[in-house]
C-alpha cells in the first residue's frame, strides 16, 4: 500500500473517536476494505488522552483554529509557579496520560461483555472506582471579600456515600429513623420497575420532592443519593424518572465484577484506551490507518461509467471524496461523527422521535494534577476487592457558593470531580489527577471548578493540603440533542444513505450503552444480514487463549 | 512473587508489549514468523493488515509473554506506530543490511520512540537479511541460535568488502549508532534463523524487573508499594462472585 489515490474502499471511517473505533472492531472480520482516517495526529477524537506536552500543544491548536472543531473551546493550561524548594514536582511530560473524557463504566454496562466477546479485552486493564464522596461545606463563606481572594469556601468535609446496606447499618451519624427511610428506599429501588404505582405519577417531579414525599428521606440524605445519579442538574431539576434508573444501575452494578465496587475505568487514560484497542483490532483485521488526514469537501457520485447500476442493496454505488492531502478515494460507505463529516455538508440532524436524555449539551471541565496521593479518598472497599484507582466527589448544587450568591442567583449546577490514582497510569506515583466537570460554561463555571478543586484539596479529610502542579481547563459541547433511539438516527440523519453519521460524544459522566446501539445500527447497514453476530469473534490464530490463567 | 520459597512454585509470568517498526520489506514479519513459528517464507507477500501475535520466552527465573504488534504493510502512513508503541515496553526496530536507506528510516523510528514512547522502553536495533551478506560461514552454523554470544557473530563480519557482497550497511556503523543511543544491537537472518531467538531473549532480559509487576506495565511508571495486579479488575468472571449488593438478579 503506497498510495491512497484512486483506490476503492468499501468503508471510509472518518475520525477515531469511540463509536468509530468500536465500528472498526465490529468490521474487523468482515472482509471489507476499510480506510480509517483522522484529521488529528492522534487517536481518540473527543476521547483522546494526552501527555502534558500533547495537552499543551492541543490547547494552542484549539486556540489557533477553533473553527476546525466545534467540540472544544476556551482551552487553557495553567502551571502554577513552582518554588525551587518544593519536593513535589511535575514529572516528565510522558509520565502523564490525561483523559479528555473521563467517563466511568458501570460493571453491568453491555460494553464490557462486548469487549470480551470481541476478544479485545485482553489488551485493556480495567480498574475499580471505589468510594463516592459528598462535599459538605464547613462554614459557608459569609464575606464577599473571601470570594475575591479566591477563598470562597470554608474548610469543608467529604462524607462517604454508604456503599450498600451494611454501610447504612454501620453509619454512626444516621439516626434510626433516617436509616429506616433509606433502607425502605433501597428496597424499593431494587425492583422499582415492578412498582410503577409508587413513582410513575411522580416521574416529572423533582427527585428530592419524591424522596421526601414518598419515603420521608430527610433532606440531608438527598445529596448522597443525588450523587449516584451523576445528574448534571441541581436537585430541583433532576426528575424522578431520570434518577431512579440511574441509582438502580449504580446499586445493581456493585458486586457484579467483584466485591465492593460498581464501576470501572480503563487504565492509561480512560476511553482513549478503548479507542486505541478498537483501532488496533481494525488494523489487525486489515484496515488501513492514516492520521492527520481528513475530508475536504462534499462527496461526489462515482457511478460506474458504463451506466450499470449496482444490483444488490447492500453494495451501493461508490462515492468519491477528496482528502486533505489531495488524494481522492472512492468508497461505498462513509461513516463518522457529525463533527468529522462536517466537510461533506450533509444536512444537520433533524431531531428524530425518541426520548431526549436529560444530559447536558455543554459543560466546562478541568484536569488538575496534584502533589499528593490523597490516600484518604481511596479506602479499601471490601474484603477481596481490588485496590480502587478512582474516587468520585460530588459537590451538590450550592455547596460551593457564598451565601450571597446562593441568595442572589438561580441555582448553579453541581460539580463532579473524578479522582484518579497513579494506578491508572495517568500520573506518576504520589500524584493524582482530578477531573472536574460542571454542566455550564463561562466565567461562573470556571469559578465553580476552581472552587471545587480548592474545596476538595482543603477539606478536613486531606491534610496537609496538597498543591496543584498543573491544570487544564476547557469547554465542551455536544450540540445535537442526543436520543435514545440514536441507532435509528445514525441511519436516517443523512439524506444520503451511504453516509452514516454518529451523534456527537455524550457529555454524560457515565458510559452510555446507546453508543453500542449506534455502532450496531451502522454495522448492520453496512453488513446487511450477512454480518453474523455483532462483535462476537474467535481468537485469532497465533494468539494464545491460554493467557487468562497465567495472569491471575 | 517473592514470598514463594517453594521450588515447585511456577515461574512468574509477565506480558510484554512489543512493537515492530522499520521500513517496508526489511523482513519484520519474517522475523516474527521465525520467532513464533520457527518458519520462513521466501518471497513473502507484503503483510496485509497489521498482525498481532504472542509468543512465550522462558528465562531462568521468569516467563515473558511477548505480545507482538507488527505494523507491516502500512509503513508509508506511519499512523499505526503511535497506537502500537503507546505503553509498549519493548520495540524492535528493523533495517535491511543490504539497503542503506533502511538504516536511516530505523534511526528515524528510534528518535520517534525516544521522543514519544514510554520513557523506559527497551529498544533493539536489528539488521536483518544477514544471509545476503557473502563470506559469512557463520550463518549456517548458527541456525537454531545455539550460539550464546549473539552479537559476536556479527562482529566477526568486519571485512565487509567482499565483491559479491550485497551488504550496504557495515556492522561497525550500525553498532556504533546503537551504542551511542544505548540500544540492543543484533544482525539477524529470518531466513536461517540466525540470532532471531537471541534478540527476543535479550529484550526479555533487558526489561526491568520493576516494570513486570502487572500483566502489563511500563518502565518508569512502576508503582512502589502497590501491586498493580491487585488493582486490576477481571472482566471474565474469575473474581466475580462477590456479594451481590442491592441486587435481586
Amino acid at each position: 500500500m503506497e498510495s491512497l489515490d484512486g483506490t476503492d474502499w468499501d468503508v471510509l471511517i472518518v475520525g477515531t473517536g469511540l463509536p468509530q473505533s468500536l465500528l472498526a472492531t465490529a468490521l474487523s472480520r468482515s472482509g471489507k476494505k476499510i480506510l480509517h482516517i483522522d484529521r488529528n495526529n492522534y487517536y481518540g477524537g473527543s476521547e483522546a488522552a494526552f501527555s502534558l506536552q500533547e495537552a499543551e500543544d492541543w490547547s494552542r491548536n484549539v486556540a489557533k483554529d477553533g473553527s476546525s472543531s466545534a467540540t472544544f473551546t476556551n482551552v487553557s493550561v495553567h502551571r502554577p509557579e513552582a518554588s525551587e524548594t518544593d519536593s513535589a514536582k511535575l514529572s516528565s511530560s510522558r509520565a502523564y496520560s490525561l483523559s479528555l473524557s473521563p467517563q466511568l463504566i458501570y460493571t453491568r454496562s453491555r460494553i464490557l461483555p462486548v469487549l470480551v466477546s470481541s476478544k479485545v479485552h485482553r489488551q485493556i486493564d480495567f480498574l475499580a472506582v471505589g468510594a463516592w464522596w459528598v462535599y459538605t461545606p464547613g462554614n459557608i463563606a459569609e464575606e464577599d471579600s473571601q470570594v475575591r481572594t479566591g477563598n470562597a469556601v470554608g474548610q469543608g468535609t467529604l462524607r462517604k456515600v454508604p456503599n450498600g446496606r451494611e454501610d447504612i447499618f454501620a453509619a454512626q451519624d444516621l439516626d434510626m429513623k433516617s436509616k429506616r427511610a433509606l433502607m425502605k428506599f433501597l428496597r424499593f429501588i431494587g425492583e422499582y420497575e415492578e412498582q410503577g404505582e409508587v413513582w410513575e405519577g411522580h416521574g416529572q417531579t423533582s427527585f428530592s420532592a419524591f424522596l421526601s414525599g414518598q419515603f420521608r428521606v430527610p433532606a440531608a440524605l438527598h445529596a448522597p443519593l443525588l450523587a449516584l445519579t451523576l445528574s448534571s442538574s441541581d436537585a430541583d431539576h433532576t426528575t424522578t424518572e431520570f434518577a431512579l434508573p440511574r441509582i438502580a444501575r449504580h446499586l445493581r452494578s456493585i458486586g457484579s465484577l467483584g466485591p465492593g465496587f460498581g464501576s470501572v475505568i480503563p487504565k492509561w487514560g480512560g476511553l482513549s484506551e478503548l479507542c486505541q484497542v478498537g483501532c488496533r483490532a481494525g488494523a489487525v483485521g486489515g484496515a488501513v490507518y492514516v492520521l492527520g488526514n481528513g475530508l475536504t469537501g462534499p462527496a461526489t457520485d462515482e457511478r460506474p461509467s458504463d451506466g450499470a447500476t449496482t444490483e444488490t442493496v447492500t453494495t451501493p454505488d461508490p462515492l468519491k471524496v477528496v482528502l486533505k492531502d489531495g488524494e481522492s478515494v472512492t468508497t461505498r460507505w462513509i461513516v463518522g461523527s457529525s463533527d468529522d463529516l462536517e466537510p461533506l455538508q450533509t444536512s444537520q440532524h433533524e431531531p428524530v422521535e425518541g426520548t431526549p436524555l436529560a444530559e447536558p449539551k455543554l459543560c466546562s471541565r478541568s484536569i488538575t494534577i496534584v502533589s499528593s496521593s490523597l490516600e484518604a479518598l481511596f479506602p479499601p472497599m471490601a474484603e477481596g476487592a481490588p485496590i480502587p484507582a478512582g474516587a468520585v466527589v460530588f459537590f451538590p448544587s450550592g455547596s460551593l457558593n457564598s451565601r450571597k450568591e446562593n441568595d442572589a442567583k438561580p441555582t448553579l449546577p453541581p460539580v463532579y470531580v473524578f479522582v484518579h490514582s497513579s494506578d491508572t497510569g495517568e500520573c506518576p506515583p504520589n500524584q493524582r489527577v482530578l477531573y472536574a466537570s460542571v454542566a455550564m460554561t463561562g466565567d461562573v463555571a470556571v469559578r465553580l471548578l476552581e472552587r471545587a478543586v480548592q474545596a476538595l484539596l482543603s477539606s478536613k479529610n486531606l491534610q496537609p493540603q496538597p498543591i496543584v502542579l498543573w491544570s487544564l481547563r476547557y469547554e465542551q459541547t455536544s450540540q445535537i440533542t442526543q436520543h435514545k433511539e440514536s441507532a435509528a438516527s445514525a441511519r436516517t440523519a443523512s439524506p444520503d444513505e451511504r453516509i452514516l453519521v454518529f451523534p456527537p460524544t455524550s457529555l454524560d459522566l457515565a458510559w452510555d450503552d446507546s453508543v453500542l446501539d449506534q455502532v450496531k445500527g451502522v454495522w448492520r447497514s453496512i453488513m446487511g444480514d450477512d454480518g453474523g453476530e455483532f462483535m462476537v469473534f474467535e481468537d485469532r490464530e497465533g494468539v494464545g487463549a491460554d493467557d487468562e490463567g497465567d495472569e491471575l | 512473587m517473592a514470598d514463594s520459597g517453594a521450588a515447585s512454585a511456577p515461574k512468574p509470568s509477565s506480558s510484554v508489549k512489543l512493537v515492530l517498526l522499520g521500513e517496508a520489506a526489511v523482513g519484520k514479519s519474517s522475523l516474527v514468523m521465525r520467532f513464533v513459528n520457527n518458519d520462513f517464507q521466501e518471497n513473502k507477500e507484503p503483510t496485509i493488515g497489521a498482525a498481532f501475535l504472542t509468543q512465550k520466552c522462558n528465562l531462568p527465573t521468569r516467563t515473558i509473554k511477548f505480545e507482538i504488534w507488527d505494523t507491516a504493510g502500512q509503513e508509508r502512513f506511519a499512523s499505526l506506530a503511535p497506537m502500537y508503541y503507546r505503553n509498549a515496553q519493548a520495540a524492535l526496530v528493523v533495517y535491511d543490511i543490504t539497503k542503506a536507506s533502511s538504516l536511516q528510516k530505523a534511526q528515524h523510528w528510534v528518535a520517534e520512540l525516544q521522543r514519544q514512547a514510554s520513557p523506559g522502553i527497551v529498544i533493539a536495533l536489528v539488521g536483518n537479511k544477514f544471509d545476503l551478506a557473502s563470506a559469512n560461514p557463520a550463518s549456517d552454523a548458527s541456525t537454531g541460535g545455539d550460539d550464546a554470544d549473539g552479537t559476536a557473530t556479527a562482529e566477526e563480519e568486519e571485512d565487509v568488502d567482499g565483491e559479491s557482497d550485497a551488504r550496504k550497511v557495515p556492522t561497525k556503523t550500525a553498532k556504533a549508532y546503537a551504542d551511542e543511543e544505548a540500544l540492543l544491537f543484533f544482525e539477524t537472518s529470518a531466513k536461517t534463523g540466525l540470532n532471531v531467538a537471541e534478540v527476543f531473549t535479550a529484550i526479555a532480559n533487558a526489561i526491568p524487573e520493576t516494570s513486570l509487576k502487572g500483566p502489563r506495565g511500563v518502565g518508569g511508571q512502576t508503582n512502589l508499594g502497590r501491586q498493580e495486579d491487585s488493582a486490576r479488575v477481571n472482566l471474565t468472571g474469575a473474581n466475580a462472585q462477590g456479594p451481590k449488593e442491592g441486587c435481586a438478579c
Side-chain angles (χ1 to χ4, degrees):
Chain A
M1 170 68 47
E2 281 304 303
S3 166
L4 301 175
D5 218 11
T7 39
D8 295 323
W9 303 90
D10 292 317
V11 188
L12 171 64
I13 307 179
V14 187
T16 55
L18 198 52
Q20 295 100 315
S21 303
L22 289 173
L23 179 67
T25 302
L27 292 172
S28 64
R29 317 278 180 115
S30 66
K32 301 272 183 213
K33 260 185 92 178
I34 298 167
L35 175 60
H36 197 163
I37 64 175
D38 195 313
R39 63 181 169 203
N40 297 314
N41 279 310
Y42 52 84
Y43 286 89
S46 305
E47 286 85 28
F50 293 137
S51 69
L52 290 188
Q53 186 59 52
E54 287 164 341
E56 292 179 5
D57 292 346
W58 177 70
S59 151
R60 270 191 298 275
N61 288 339
V62 172
K64 206 165 56 197
D65 56 1
S67 55
S68 74
S69 163
T71 310
F72 297 101
T73 44
N74 292 331
V75 183
S76 59
V77 170
H78 306 266
R79 247 184 218 261
E81 287 294 320
S83 70
E84 282 303 311
T85 52
D86 264 342
S87 57
K89 282 209 177 75
L90 277 178
S91 297
S92 69
S93 162
R94 280 175 285 160
Y96 301 89
S97 181
L98 306 170
S99 170
L100 287 186
S101 68
Q103 282 186 336
L104 49 83
I105 302 175
Y106 277 105
T107 51
R108 294 202 159 222
S109 297
R110 281 183 286 132
I111 182 69
L112 297 180
V114 163
L115 295 176
V116 173
S117 71
S118 59
K119 298 293 188 286
V120 298
H121 68 288
R122 292 203 185 90
Q123 277 118 47
I124 317 173
D125 284 346
F126 282 100
L127 307 169
V129 175
W132 289 53
W133 305 86
V134 175
Y135 175 77
T136 316
N139 210 353
I140 289 182
E142 308 85 353
E143 299 303 322
D144 219 21
S145 61
Q146 279 185 289
V147 179
R148 286 194 208 99
T149 59
N151 189 16
V153 280
Q155 196 181 38
T157 314
L158 301 177
R159 290 180 207 281
K160 191 164 167 289
V161 176
N163 198 13
R165 290 171 197 175
E166 288 88 346
D167 265 15
I168 294 175
F169 271 126
Q172 297 186 344
D173 50 351
L174 294 182
D175 59 47
M176 271 321 287
K177 206 170 143 203
S178 307
K179 283 187 187 180
R180 237 175 293 154
L182 261 187
M183 296 303 269
K184 189 174 163 212
F185 175 72
L186 288 190
R187 268 197 306 278
F188 155 73
I189 196 110
E191 43 192 31
Y192 78 99
E193 289 95 336
E194 285 89 63
Q195 302 187 47
E197 71 282 359
V198 180
W199 64 275
E200 269 166 6
H202 306 276
Q204 289 295 326
T205 49
S206 86
F207 182 52
S208 274
F210 175 75
L211 283 175
S212 304
Q214 301 300 306
F215 291 93
R216 308 205 182 283
V217 174
L221 295 177
H222 292 187
L225 290 168
L226 267 171
L228 303 186
T229 68
L230 290 172
S231 167
S232 60
S233 311
D234 65 80
D236 293 336
H237 295 91
T238 301
T239 62
T240 302
E241 67 179 8
F242 174 83
L244 293 183
R246 294 174 69 104
I247 294 179
R249 169 177 70 177
H250 181 99
L251 295 172
R252 289 168 186 175
S253 292
I254 293 175
S256 80
L257 281 181
F261 65 97
S263 55
V264 293
I265 43 177
K267 195 172 172 173
W268 304 121
L271 298 184
S272 140
E273 196 62 10
L274 293 193
C275 296
Q276 300 230 357
V277 162
C279 291
R280 288 205 294 254
V284 170
V288 169
Y289 280 80
V290 182
L291 293 180
N293 206 351
L295 300 175
T296 53
T300 51
D301 264 306
E302 185 82 353
R303 294 190 188 280
S305 49
D306 57 2
T309 45
T310 330
E311 280 169 22
T312 54
V313 193
T314 46
T315 49
D317 292 330
L319 286 160
K320 184 173 172 184
V321 286
V322 180
L323 305 183
K324 219 159 53 180
D325 68 355
E327 291 177 299
S328 67
V329 299
T330 57
T331 176
R332 294 181 185 278
W333 301 95
I334 300 176
V335 192
S337 70
S338 48
D339 199 19
D340 292 302
L341 297 184
E342 206 268 319
L344 296 182
Q345 297 166 2
T346 54
S347 68
Q348 275 294 326
H349 288 263
E350 286 303 318
V352 293
E353 66 288 353
T355 321
L357 299 173
E359 68 165 36
K361 294 184 192 64
L362 41 85
C363 72
S364 298
R365 288 183 157 157
S366 72
I367 303 177
T368 309
I369 300 166
V370 300
S371 68
S372 155
S373 60
L374 307 180
E375 280 303 331
L377 296 183
F378 296 88
M381 297 174 290
E383 185 113 5
I387 294 171
V392 180
V393 184
F394 173 58
F395 296 82
S397 172
S399 66
L400 295 166
N401 303 0
S402 70
R403 182 165 293 155
K404 192 170 171 207
E405 286 173 309
N406 267 347
D407 292 343
K409 296 193 176 173
T411 359
L412 296 175
V415 178
Y416 292 86
V417 179
F418 291 172
V419 186
H420 287 193
S421 84
S422 56
D423 283 344
T424 60
E426 292 167 17
C427 64
N430 300 318
Q431 295 182 13
R432 293 296 179 258
V433 186
L434 312 183
Y435 295 100
S437 178
V438 63
M440 67 185 298
T441 52
D443 292 343
V444 181
V446 167
R447 214 159 59 223
L448 271 182
L449 292 180
E450 265 173 11
R451 283 184 195 168
V453 168
Q454 215 47 51
L456 193 160
L457 296 180
S458 63
S459 72
K460 288 181 178 138
N461 313 50
L462 303 169
Q463 299 299 327
Q465 186 173 341
I467 48 172
V468 171
L469 300 174
W470 187 94
S471 68
L472 172 76
R473 255 197 327 257
Y474 56 97
E475 293 176 357
Q476 187 173 354
T477 53
S478 175
Q479 297 148 311
I480 297 156
T481 322
Q482 196 131 351
H483 297 277
K484 269 188 176 149
E485 263 64 57
S486 31
S489 80
R491 296 184 53 172
T492 56
S494 154
D496 190 324
E497 58 176 19
R498 297 165 293 183
I499 301 177
L500 304 168
V501 187
F502 288 120
T505 300
S506 159
L507 299 182
D508 200 332
L509 294 172
W511 163 266
D512 180 350
D513 273 332
S514 69
V515 175
L516 272 184
D517 300 326
Q518 295 156 17
V519 173
K520 190 171 181 178
V522 168
W523 170 82
R524 174 92 56 213
S525 300
I526 293 171
M527 297 305 295
D529 295 328
D530 313 327
E533 223 179 317
F534 180 61
M535 293 281 236
V536 177
F537 303 129
E538 294 300 314
D539 269 309
R540 283 186 183 274
E541 201 184 331
V543 179
D546 61 345
D547 57 354
E548 287 307 315
D550 57 22
E551 288 178 6
L552 294 178
Chain B
M1 294 186 179
D3 57 348
S4 64
S8 61
K11 277 192 283 189
S13 163
S14 322
S15 293
V16 166
K17 182 179 169 190
L18 179 145
V19 56
L20 271 175
L21 298 169
E23 197 173 85
V26 295
K28 294 185 294 294
S29 305
S30 297
L31 277 172
V32 175
M33 288 316 288
R34 173 61 74 187
F35 175 57
V36 173
N37 296 338
N38 197 20
D39 190 17
F40 180 79
Q41 284 172 284
E42 198 84 51
N43 304 320
K44 185 184 167 301
E45 294 285 307
T47 310
I48 306 291
F52 173 63
L53 294 160
T54 61
Q55 174 71 351
K56 283 188 176 150
C57 181
N58 278 304
L59 299 182
T61 56
R62 61 190 192 203
T63 303
I64 300 285
K65 189 177 136 205
F66 282 109
E67 301 173 350
I68 303 165
W69 292 92
D70 181 358
T71 65
Q74 300 189 26
E75 290 84 358
R76 184 212 150 200
F77 309 114
S79 296
L80 282 183
M83 155 163 83
Y84 281 9
Y85 61 63
R86 177 179 152 94
N87 306 324
Q89 291 127 297
L92 216 152
V93 182
V94 188
Y95 68 95
D96 175 350
I97 63 165
T98 69
K99 196 176 169 199
S101 68
S102 70
L103 179 63
Q104 283 169 16
K105 186 66 193 170
Q107 289 169 327
H108 161 88
W109 279 121
V110 169
E112 177 159 342
L113 287 170
Q114 289 171 340
R115 204 172 57 243
Q116 304 285 356
S118 309
I121 192 167
V122 173
I123 306 174
L125 179 69
V126 170
N128 192 35
K129 306 196 184 176
F130 186 75
D131 51 282
L132 295 182
S134 70
N136 53 1
S139 63
D140 270 330
S142 301
T143 311
D146 304 315
D147 189 351
D149 192 1
T151 44
T153 318
E155 273 161 16
E156 288 161 17
E157 213 46 52
E158 292 296 341
D159 50 332
V160 288
D161 23 342
E163 287 74 42
S164 63
D165 195 341
R167 178 191 282 275
K168 293 286 176 352
V169 180
T171 308
K172 218 167 28 179
T173 312
K175 177 80 165 72
Y177 166 71
D179 287 347
E180 201 173 302
E181 300 292 338
L183 316 174
L184 298 170
F185 174 67
F186 288 89
E187 288 190 343
T188 60
S189 166
K191 185 174 180 179
T192 66
L194 173 79
N195 276 346
V196 174
E198 284 78 357
V199 173
F200 287 90
T201 309
I203 291 173
N205 276 313
I207 306 272
E209 194 85 46
T210 45
S211 72
L212 289 176
K213 275 184 180 162
R216 205 167 285 105
V218 168
Q221 294 197 4
T222 56
N223 199 342
L224 303 171
R226 278 184 153 200
Q227 288 256 331
E228 282 189 27
D229 250 353
S230 53
R232 190 167 166 270
V233 173
N234 192 330
L235 293 194
T236 49
N239 43 8
Q241 54 281 74
K244 292 268 197 285
E245 183 65 54
C247 165
C249 5

